[in-house]
Amino acid sequence: MLKQALVAVSLLTISLPFYSQEVTVNKPKYGFTVGINRSNIEHNIKNVISQNDRIGLRLGVLAEFQLVKGLYFMPKAELSFNRGSLTYLEPNLFLRDYEIIPIGLEGKFNLAYKFREGKTLQPFILGGASYIQALEGKKESFEYSVGSTFAVEAGIGIERKFDHFIFAPELRYSRGLNNVNDNPIFYGNVYFHNFVVALVFKG
């Protein structure tokens, strides 16, 4: 019994340095993102005169947790300012813009796979799902609200390690899955998609 206990303690003592090293390698990372996005609206509304896919801004925070070698879980929370809209003609012959998620609070649940693990430059691919909550600002009496949406997204990027931080620009595409149209004048569906170029800083 004493011999078995001594063996167990010896094995535990030997393994501690390796365990400590593994914990250091797998330590979660935190950071922030800043970027631009371009709306890509999809609709089948007949009385829309023009579709306006414009460029907006976004910023957010993120965390990174290693699951296995090369594979990471990367949740994000981002605030997006989108300028996409649909222009339509009201019965009184006034042109109106129906803004599609002008401000969105996005919760993202992404998985990323990094190639060349441990190197200074690491290309990666990512994919996952997100929920975009439309945030309503103060509206005029003729403006209409818009719904929130679930989305799937995919992207690519490259990670560069510096002495005190990591820089990882990303190119992402997000595709909305459900109709966000709450305008009673429209009879049809509106889907919100977007392209994102994000600069990610973490450490």
mmCIF file of all heavy atoms in Angstrom, residues 93-134:
data_model
loop_
_atom_site.group_PDB
_atom_site.id
_atom_site.type_symbol
_atom_site.label_atom_id
_atom_site.label_comp_id
_atom_site.label_asym_id
_atom_site.label_seq_id
_atom_site.Cartn_x
_atom_site.Cartn_y
_atom_site.Cartn_z
ATOM 1 N N LEU A 93 -47.597 58.952 -52.530
ATOM 2 C CA LEU A 93 -46.534 59.314 -53.468
ATOM 3 C C LEU A 93 -45.300 59.910 -52.792
ATOM 4 O O LEU A 93 -44.547 60.656 -53.414
ATOM 5 C CB LEU A 93 -47.063 60.281 -54.550
ATOM 6 C CG LEU A 93 -48.240 59.767 -55.388
ATOM 7 C CD1 LEU A 93 -48.621 60.781 -56.442
ATOM 8 C CD2 LEU A 93 -47.881 58.439 -56.043
ATOM 9 N N PHE A 94 -45.071 59.572 -51.517
ATOM 10 C CA PHE A 94 -43.838 59.948 -50.839
ATOM 11 C C PHE A 94 -42.868 58.764 -50.873
ATOM 12 O O PHE A 94 -43.267 57.620 -50.655
ATOM 13 C CB PHE A 94 -44.101 60.344 -49.387
ATOM 14 C CG PHE A 94 -44.642 61.734 -49.224
ATOM 15 C CD1 PHE A 94 -45.998 61.941 -49.005
ATOM 16 C CD2 PHE A 94 -43.798 62.836 -49.298
ATOM 17 C CE1 PHE A 94 -46.500 63.225 -48.847
ATOM 18 C CE2 PHE A 94 -44.289 64.121 -49.142
ATOM 19 C CZ PHE A 94 -45.650 64.319 -48.916
ATOM 20 N N LEU A 95 -41.600 59.048 -51.139
ATOM 21 C CA LEU A 95 -40.575 58.013 -51.076
ATOM 22 C C LEU A 95 -40.126 57.833 -49.626
ATOM 23 O O LEU A 95 -39.831 58.805 -48.933
ATOM 24 C CB LEU A 95 -39.362 58.384 -51.943
ATOM 25 C CG LEU A 95 -39.557 58.290 -53.455
ATOM 26 C CD1 LEU A 95 -38.304 58.775 -54.171
ATOM 27 C CD2 LEU A 95 -39.872 56.859 -53.878
ATOM 28 N N ARG A 96 -40.066 56.580 -49.183
ATOM 29 C CA ARG A 96 -39.643 56.271 -47.815
ATOM 30 C C ARG A 96 -38.523 55.244 -47.851
ATOM 31 O O ARG A 96 -38.466 54.395 -48.744
ATOM 32 C CB ARG A 96 -40.809 55.709 -46.985
ATOM 33 C CG ARG A 96 -42.033 56.616 -46.907
ATOM 34 C CD ARG A 96 -41.739 57.879 -46.133
ATOM 35 N NE ARG A 96 -42.967 58.623 -45.851
ATOM 36 C CZ ARG A 96 -43.002 59.893 -45.499
ATOM 37 N NH1 ARG A 96 -41.869 60.578 -45.379
ATOM 38 N NH2 ARG A 96 -44.156 60.496 -45.256
ATOM 39 N N ASP A 97 -37.662 55.306 -46.849
ATOM 40 C CA ASP A 97 -36.618 54.295 -46.662
ATOM 41 C C ASP A 97 -36.985 53.407 -45.482
ATOM 42 O O ASP A 97 -37.234 53.900 -44.377
ATOM 43 C CB ASP A 97 -35.256 54.953 -46.397
ATOM 44 C CG ASP A 97 -34.504 55.234 -47.680
ATOM 45 O OD1 ASP A 97 -34.940 54.745 -48.730
ATOM 46 O OD2 ASP A 97 -33.489 55.941 -47.628
ATOM 47 N N TYR A 98 -37.026 52.108 -45.723
ATOM 48 C CA TYR A 98 -37.240 51.126 -44.660
ATOM 49 C C TYR A 98 -35.872 50.576 -44.270
ATOM 50 O O TYR A 98 -35.275 49.792 -45.007
ATOM 51 C CB TYR A 98 -38.170 50.024 -45.147
ATOM 52 C CG TYR A 98 -38.497 48.952 -44.133
ATOM 53 C CD1 TYR A 98 -38.703 49.256 -42.788
ATOM 54 C CD2 TYR A 98 -38.620 47.627 -44.526
ATOM 55 C CE1 TYR A 98 -39.011 48.266 -41.866
ATOM 56 C CE2 TYR A 98 -38.941 46.626 -43.623
ATOM 57 C CZ TYR A 98 -39.129 46.958 -42.287
ATOM 58 O OH TYR A 98 -39.443 45.977 -41.377
ATOM 59 N N GLU A 99 -35.328 51.014 -43.121
ATOM 60 C CA GLU A 99 -33.990 50.600 -42.687
ATOM 61 C C GLU A 99 -34.028 49.175 -42.141
ATOM 62 O O GLU A 99 -34.882 48.834 -41.317
ATOM 63 C CB GLU A 99 -33.465 51.562 -41.627
ATOM 64 C CG GLU A 99 -33.250 52.978 -42.139
ATOM 65 C CD GLU A 99 -32.655 53.887 -41.084
ATOM 66 O OE1 GLU A 99 -32.978 53.720 -39.892
ATOM 67 O OE2 GLU A 99 -31.855 54.761 -41.443
ATOM 68 N N ILE A 100 -33.076 48.359 -42.593
ATOM 69 C CA ILE A 100 -33.022 46.948 -42.206
ATOM 70 C C ILE A 100 -31.947 46.772 -41.126
ATOM 71 O O ILE A 100 -30.749 46.838 -41.409
ATOM 72 C CB ILE A 100 -32.718 46.058 -43.424
ATOM 73 C CG1 ILE A 100 -33.688 46.363 -44.570
ATOM 74 C CG2 ILE A 100 -32.778 44.590 -43.027
ATOM 75 C CD1 ILE A 100 -35.153 46.197 -44.200
ATOM 76 N N ILE A 101 -32.386 46.563 -39.900
ATOM 77 C CA ILE A 101 -31.509 46.426 -38.725
ATOM 78 C C ILE A 101 -30.447 47.533 -38.717
ATOM 79 O O ILE A 101 -29.247 47.261 -38.883
ATOM 80 C CB ILE A 101 -30.864 45.028 -38.632
ATOM 81 C CG1 ILE A 101 -31.914 43.926 -38.815
ATOM 82 C CG2 ILE A 101 -30.137 44.835 -37.315
ATOM 83 C CD1 ILE A 101 -31.396 42.516 -38.611
ATOM 84 N N PRO A 102 -30.861 48.786 -38.550
ATOM 85 C CA PRO A 102 -29.881 49.883 -38.539
ATOM 86 C C PRO A 102 -28.842 49.749 -37.436
ATOM 87 O O PRO A 102 -27.684 50.119 -37.617
ATOM 88 C CB PRO A 102 -30.751 51.127 -38.354
ATOM 89 C CG PRO A 102 -32.034 50.631 -37.775
ATOM 90 C CD PRO A 102 -32.234 49.265 -38.331
ATOM 91 N N ILE A 103 -29.270 49.218 -36.270
ATOM 92 C CA ILE A 103 -28.326 48.919 -35.179
ATOM 93 C C ILE A 103 -28.629 47.506 -34.695
ATOM 94 O O ILE A 103 -29.785 47.184 -34.378
ATOM 95 C CB ILE A 103 -28.460 49.910 -34.008
ATOM 96 C CG1 ILE A 103 -28.267 51.347 -34.489
ATOM 97 C CG2 ILE A 103 -27.436 49.586 -32.925
ATOM 98 C CD1 ILE A 103 -28.479 52.387 -33.407
ATOM 99 N N GLY A 104 -27.607 46.664 -34.652
ATOM 100 C CA GLY A 104 -27.812 45.282 -34.221
ATOM 101 C C GLY A 104 -26.843 44.887 -33.123
ATOM 102 O O GLY A 104 -25.661 45.242 -33.160
ATOM 103 N N LEU A 105 -27.348 44.171 -32.129
ATOM 104 C CA LEU A 105 -26.502 43.576 -31.097
ATOM 105 C C LEU A 105 -26.367 42.103 -31.432
ATOM 106 O O LEU A 105 -27.354 41.365 -31.431
ATOM 107 C CB LEU A 105 -27.114 43.773 -29.714
ATOM 108 C CG LEU A 105 -26.318 43.216 -28.533
ATOM 109 C CD1 LEU A 105 -24.944 43.871 -28.446
ATOM 110 C CD2 LEU A 105 -27.084 43.405 -27.230
ATOM 111 N N GLU A 106 -25.133 41.676 -31.738
ATOM 112 C CA GLU A 106 -24.907 40.343 -32.278
ATOM 113 C C GLU A 106 -24.167 39.454 -31.279
ATOM 114 O O GLU A 106 -23.109 39.829 -30.775
ATOM 115 C CB GLU A 106 -24.111 40.434 -33.585
ATOM 116 C CG GLU A 106 -24.743 41.361 -34.614
ATOM 117 C CD GLU A 106 -24.007 41.367 -35.937
ATOM 118 O OE1 GLU A 106 -23.185 40.451 -36.166
ATOM 119 O OE2 GLU A 106 -24.258 42.280 -36.746
ATOM 120 N N GLY A 107 -24.728 38.308 -31.012
ATOM 121 C CA GLY A 107 -24.059 37.285 -30.219
ATOM 122 C C GLY A 107 -23.623 36.161 -31.136
ATOM 123 O O GLY A 107 -24.450 35.545 -31.822
ATOM 124 N N LYS A 108 -22.317 35.885 -31.185
ATOM 125 C CA LYS A 108 -21.765 34.927 -32.130
ATOM 126 C C LYS A 108 -21.132 33.746 -31.402
ATOM 127 O O LYS A 108 -20.474 33.922 -30.393
ATOM 128 C CB LYS A 108 -20.714 35.600 -33.022
ATOM 129 C CG LYS A 108 -21.278 36.762 -33.842
ATOM 130 C CD LYS A 108 -20.197 37.395 -34.686
ATOM 131 C CE LYS A 108 -20.781 38.525 -35.527
ATOM 132 N NZ LYS A 108 -21.805 38.044 -36.481
ATOM 133 N N PHE A 109 -21.328 32.566 -31.964
ATOM 134 C CA PHE A 109 -20.770 31.344 -31.401
ATOM 135 C C PHE A 109 -20.026 30.637 -32.535
ATOM 136 O O PHE A 109 -20.606 29.881 -33.306
ATOM 137 C CB PHE A 109 -21.880 30.464 -30.825
ATOM 138 C CG PHE A 109 -22.697 31.180 -29.784
ATOM 139 C CD1 PHE A 109 -23.850 31.871 -30.141
ATOM 140 C CD2 PHE A 109 -22.289 31.208 -28.458
ATOM 141 C CE1 PHE A 109 -24.594 32.547 -29.190
ATOM 142 C CE2 PHE A 109 -23.024 31.893 -27.500
ATOM 143 C CZ PHE A 109 -24.179 32.560 -27.874
ATOM 144 N N ASN A 110 -18.722 30.924 -32.613
ATOM 145 C CA ASN A 110 -17.912 30.452 -33.732
ATOM 146 C C ASN A 110 -16.913 29.394 -33.292
ATOM 147 O O ASN A 110 -16.425 29.404 -32.159
ATOM 148 C CB ASN A 110 -17.130 31.615 -34.361
ATOM 149 C CG ASN A 110 -18.035 32.586 -35.092
ATOM 150 O OD1 ASN A 110 -19.114 32.226 -35.527
ATOM 151 N ND2 ASN A 110 -17.604 33.832 -35.210
ATOM 152 N N LEU A 111 -16.597 28.510 -34.216
ATOM 153 C CA LEU A 111 -15.476 27.586 -34.085
ATOM 154 C C LEU A 111 -14.434 27.991 -35.120
ATOM 155 O O LEU A 111 -14.775 28.345 -36.247
ATOM 156 C CB LEU A 111 -15.917 26.147 -34.324
ATOM 157 C CG LEU A 111 -16.805 25.512 -33.254
ATOM 158 C CD1 LEU A 111 -17.241 24.125 -33.704
ATOM 159 C CD2 LEU A 111 -16.090 25.426 -31.909
ATOM 160 N N ALA A 112 -13.177 27.953 -34.737
ATOM 161 C CA ALA A 112 -12.088 28.311 -35.647
ATOM 162 C C ALA A 112 -11.053 27.189 -35.657
ATOM 163 O O ALA A 112 -10.738 26.617 -34.606
ATOM 164 C CB ALA A 112 -11.430 29.623 -35.230
ATOM 165 N N TYR A 113 -10.574 26.890 -36.844
ATOM 166 C CA TYR A 113 -9.475 25.927 -36.964
ATOM 167 C C TYR A 113 -8.245 26.653 -37.493
ATOM 168 O O TYR A 113 -8.290 27.276 -38.562
ATOM 169 C CB TYR A 113 -9.837 24.762 -37.883
ATOM 170 C CG TYR A 113 -8.751 23.715 -37.920
ATOM 171 C CD1 TYR A 113 -8.670 22.760 -36.906
ATOM 172 C CD2 TYR A 113 -7.794 23.697 -38.927
ATOM 173 C CE1 TYR A 113 -7.659 21.813 -36.907
ATOM 174 C CE2 TYR A 113 -6.782 22.756 -38.940
ATOM 175 C CZ TYR A 113 -6.717 21.815 -37.921
ATOM 176 O OH TYR A 113 -5.711 20.881 -37.912
ATOM 177 N N LYS A 114 -7.146 26.562 -36.738
ATOM 178 C CA LYS A 114 -5.911 27.249 -37.097
ATOM 179 C C LYS A 114 -4.920 26.261 -37.705
ATOM 180 O O LYS A 114 -4.667 25.193 -37.141
ATOM 181 C CB LYS A 114 -5.276 27.902 -35.862
ATOM 182 C CG LYS A 114 -6.158 28.945 -35.195
ATOM 183 C CD LYS A 114 -5.468 29.552 -33.983
ATOM 184 C CE LYS A 114 -6.369 30.533 -33.261
ATOM 185 N NZ LYS A 114 -5.711 31.138 -32.083
ATOM 186 N N PHE A 115 -4.388 26.651 -38.853
ATOM 187 C CA PHE A 115 -3.344 25.861 -39.494
ATOM 188 C C PHE A 115 -1.973 26.340 -38.991
ATOM 189 O O PHE A 115 -1.832 27.444 -38.500
ATOM 190 C CB PHE A 115 -3.437 26.013 -41.013
ATOM 191 C CG PHE A 115 -4.773 25.598 -41.567
ATOM 192 C CD1 PHE A 115 -5.782 26.531 -41.734
ATOM 193 C CD2 PHE A 115 -5.022 24.284 -41.912
ATOM 194 C CE1 PHE A 115 -7.020 26.165 -42.251
ATOM 195 C CE2 PHE A 115 -6.258 23.892 -42.416
ATOM 196 C CZ PHE A 115 -7.254 24.839 -42.591
ATOM 197 N N ARG A 116 -0.985 25.509 -39.111
ATOM 198 C CA ARG A 116 0.389 25.828 -38.695
ATOM 199 C C ARG A 116 0.420 26.225 -37.208
ATOM 200 O O ARG A 116 0.964 27.255 -36.830
ATOM 201 C CB ARG A 116 0.977 26.939 -39.564
ATOM 202 C CG ARG A 116 0.962 26.631 -41.047
ATOM 203 C CD ARG A 116 1.509 27.757 -41.897
ATOM 204 N NE ARG A 116 2.950 27.873 -41.754
ATOM 205 C CZ ARG A 116 3.561 28.974 -41.296
ATOM 206 N NH1 ARG A 116 2.855 30.032 -40.923
ATOM 207 N NH2 ARG A 116 4.870 29.003 -41.214
ATOM 208 N N GLU A 117 -0.186 25.390 -36.386
ATOM 209 C CA GLU A 117 -0.252 25.632 -34.939
ATOM 210 C C GLU A 117 1.134 25.882 -34.358
ATOM 211 O O GLU A 117 2.074 25.136 -34.606
ATOM 212 C CB GLU A 117 -0.890 24.432 -34.246
ATOM 213 C CG GLU A 117 -1.088 24.586 -32.758
ATOM 214 C CD GLU A 117 -2.316 25.413 -32.421
ATOM 215 O OE1 GLU A 117 -3.396 25.098 -32.915
ATOM 216 O OE2 GLU A 117 -2.169 26.379 -31.653
ATOM 217 N N GLY A 118 1.263 26.977 -33.600
ATOM 218 C CA GLY A 118 2.513 27.303 -32.948
ATOM 219 C C GLY A 118 3.430 28.200 -33.753
ATOM 220 O O GLY A 118 4.447 28.665 -33.231
ATOM 221 N N LYS A 119 3.095 28.475 -35.007
ATOM 222 C CA LYS A 119 3.920 29.344 -35.841
ATOM 223 C C LYS A 119 3.544 30.816 -35.630
ATOM 224 O O LYS A 119 2.491 31.136 -35.080
ATOM 225 C CB LYS A 119 3.764 28.978 -37.323
ATOM 226 C CG LYS A 119 4.092 27.537 -37.649
ATOM 227 C CD LYS A 119 5.558 27.224 -37.402
ATOM 228 C CE LYS A 119 5.886 25.787 -37.827
ATOM 229 N NZ LYS A 119 7.304 25.440 -37.599
ATOM 230 N N THR A 120 4.414 31.717 -36.080
ATOM 231 C CA THR A 120 4.145 33.147 -35.943
ATOM 232 C C THR A 120 2.948 33.576 -36.772
ATOM 233 O O THR A 120 2.109 34.363 -36.337
ATOM 234 C CB THR A 120 5.379 33.966 -36.363
ATOM 235 O OG1 THR A 120 6.486 33.570 -35.546
ATOM 236 C CG2 THR A 120 5.137 35.456 -36.179
ATOM 237 N N LEU A 121 2.831 33.049 -37.986
ATOM 238 C CA LEU A 121 1.688 33.320 -38.864
ATOM 239 C C LEU A 121 0.823 32.072 -38.950
ATOM 240 O O LEU A 121 1.320 30.999 -39.307
ATOM 241 C CB LEU A 121 2.158 33.722 -40.254
ATOM 242 C CG LEU A 121 2.611 35.167 -40.464
ATOM 243 C CD1 LEU A 121 3.132 35.355 -41.877
ATOM 244 C CD2 LEU A 121 1.469 36.133 -40.188
ATOM 245 N N GLN A 122 -0.465 32.215 -38.622
ATOM 246 C CA GLN A 122 -1.369 31.085 -38.635
ATOM 247 C C GLN A 122 -2.640 31.430 -39.413
ATOM 248 O O GLN A 122 -3.492 32.169 -38.919
ATOM 249 C CB GLN A 122 -1.770 30.683 -37.210
ATOM 250 C CG GLN A 122 -0.623 30.157 -36.361
ATOM 251 C CD GLN A 122 -1.101 29.803 -34.971
ATOM 252 O OE1 GLN A 122 -0.744 30.425 -33.980
ATOM 253 N NE2 GLN A 122 -1.944 28.787 -34.895
ATOM 254 N N PRO A 123 -2.807 30.901 -40.621
ATOM 255 C CA PRO A 123 -4.094 31.058 -41.305
ATOM 256 C C PRO A 123 -5.161 30.264 -40.561
ATOM 257 O O PRO A 123 -4.873 29.257 -39.903
ATOM 258 C CB PRO A 123 -3.837 30.469 -42.699
ATOM 259 C CG PRO A 123 -2.347 30.332 -42.802
ATOM 260 C CD PRO A 123 -1.828 30.171 -41.408
ATOM 261 N N PHE A 124 -6.411 30.699 -40.677
ATOM 262 C CA PHE A 124 -7.494 29.973 -40.022
ATOM 263 C C PHE A 124 -8.790 30.131 -40.799
ATOM 264 O O PHE A 124 -8.958 31.057 -41.605
ATOM 265 C CB PHE A 124 -7.668 30.424 -38.568
ATOM 266 C CG PHE A 124 -8.062 31.866 -38.391
ATOM 267 C CD1 PHE A 124 -9.390 32.264 -38.396
ATOM 268 C CD2 PHE A 124 -7.084 32.842 -38.202
ATOM 269 C CE1 PHE A 124 -9.746 33.592 -38.228
ATOM 270 C CE2 PHE A 124 -7.426 34.174 -38.034
ATOM 271 C CZ PHE A 124 -8.759 34.552 -38.040
ATOM 272 N N ILE A 125 -9.680 29.188 -40.567
ATOM 273 C CA ILE A 125 -11.038 29.263 -41.075
ATOM 274 C C ILE A 125 -11.979 29.250 -39.881
ATOM 275 O O ILE A 125 -11.631 28.740 -38.804
ATOM 276 C CB ILE A 125 -11.358 28.095 -42.031
ATOM 277 C CG1 ILE A 125 -11.123 26.743 -41.327
ATOM 278 C CG2 ILE A 125 -10.542 28.195 -43.298
ATOM 279 C CD1 ILE A 125 -11.533 25.544 -42.165
ATOM 280 N N LEU A 126 -13.147 29.849 -40.036
ATOM 281 C CA LEU A 126 -14.101 29.868 -38.930
ATOM 282 C C LEU A 126 -15.517 29.714 -39.467
ATOM 283 O O LEU A 126 -15.803 29.997 -40.632
ATOM 284 C CB LEU A 126 -13.957 31.141 -38.099
ATOM 285 C CG LEU A 126 -14.204 32.497 -38.748
ATOM 286 C CD1 LEU A 126 -15.676 32.882 -38.707
ATOM 287 C CD2 LEU A 126 -13.382 33.571 -38.055
ATOM 288 N N GLY A 127 -16.389 29.277 -38.602
ATOM 289 C CA GLY A 127 -17.794 29.135 -38.949
ATOM 290 C C GLY A 127 -18.618 29.004 -37.689
ATOM 291 O O GLY A 127 -18.093 28.706 -36.610
ATOM 292 N N GLY A 128 -19.913 29.251 -37.815
ATOM 293 C CA GLY A 128 -20.771 29.128 -36.647
ATOM 294 C C GLY A 128 -22.112 29.784 -36.864
ATOM 295 O O GLY A 128 -22.566 29.972 -37.996
ATOM 296 N N ALA A 129 -22.739 30.144 -35.766
ATOM 297 C CA ALA A 129 -24.076 30.734 -35.788
ATOM 298 C C ALA A 129 -24.086 32.009 -34.970
ATOM 299 O O ALA A 129 -23.228 32.220 -34.110
ATOM 300 C CB ALA A 129 -25.096 29.738 -35.231
ATOM 301 N N SER A 130 -25.060 32.852 -35.248
ATOM 302 C CA SER A 130 -25.193 34.089 -34.488
ATOM 303 C C SER A 130 -26.657 34.479 -34.377
ATOM 304 O O SER A 130 -27.498 34.034 -35.171
ATOM 305 C CB SER A 130 -24.387 35.228 -35.127
ATOM 306 O OG SER A 130 -24.902 35.539 -36.406
ATOM 307 N N TYR A 131 -26.943 35.306 -33.392
ATOM 308 C CA TYR A 131 -28.274 35.892 -33.239
ATOM 309 C C TYR A 131 -28.108 37.403 -33.271
ATOM 310 O O TYR A 131 -27.297 37.959 -32.528
ATOM 311 C CB TYR A 131 -28.925 35.460 -31.923
ATOM 312 C CG TYR A 131 -30.270 36.120 -31.695
ATOM 313 C CD1 TYR A 131 -31.377 35.728 -32.436
ATOM 314 C CD2 TYR A 131 -30.414 37.140 -30.764
ATOM 315 C CE1 TYR A 131 -32.610 36.334 -32.244
ATOM 316 C CE2 TYR A 131 -31.646 37.753 -30.561
ATOM 317 C CZ TYR A 131 -32.742 37.340 -31.309
ATOM 318 O OH TYR A 131 -33.962 37.954 -31.122
ATOM 319 N N ILE A 132 -28.852 38.069 -34.147
ATOM 320 C CA ILE A 132 -28.760 39.518 -34.305
ATOM 321 C C ILE A 132 -30.039 40.148 -33.776
ATOM 322 O O ILE A 132 -31.115 39.974 -34.361
ATOM 323 C CB ILE A 132 -28.534 39.906 -35.779
ATOM 324 C CG1 ILE A 132 -27.310 39.175 -36.339
ATOM 325 C CG2 ILE A 132 -28.353 41.418 -35.908
ATOM 326 C CD1 ILE A 132 -27.109 39.387 -37.822
ATOM 327 N N GLN A 133 -29.920 40.842 -32.657
ATOM 328 C CA GLN A 133 -31.055 41.532 -32.042
ATOM 329 C C GLN A 133 -31.121 42.953 -32.590
ATOM 330 O O GLN A 133 -30.184 43.729 -32.436
ATOM 331 C CB GLN A 133 -30.904 41.559 -30.521
ATOM 332 C CG GLN A 133 -31.948 42.379 -29.790
ATOM 333 C CD GLN A 133 -33.337 41.788 -29.900
ATOM 334 O OE1 GLN A 133 -33.519 40.588 -29.666
ATOM 335 N NE2 GLN A 133 -34.321 42.596 -30.260
ATOM 336 N N ALA A 134 -32.212 43.292 -33.250
ATOM 337 C CA ALA A 134 -32.384 44.646 -33.767
ATOM 338 C C ALA A 134 -32.675 45.590 -32.608
ATOM 339 O O ALA A 134 -33.575 45.341 -31.804
ATOM 340 C CB ALA A 134 -33.520 44.682 -34.787
#
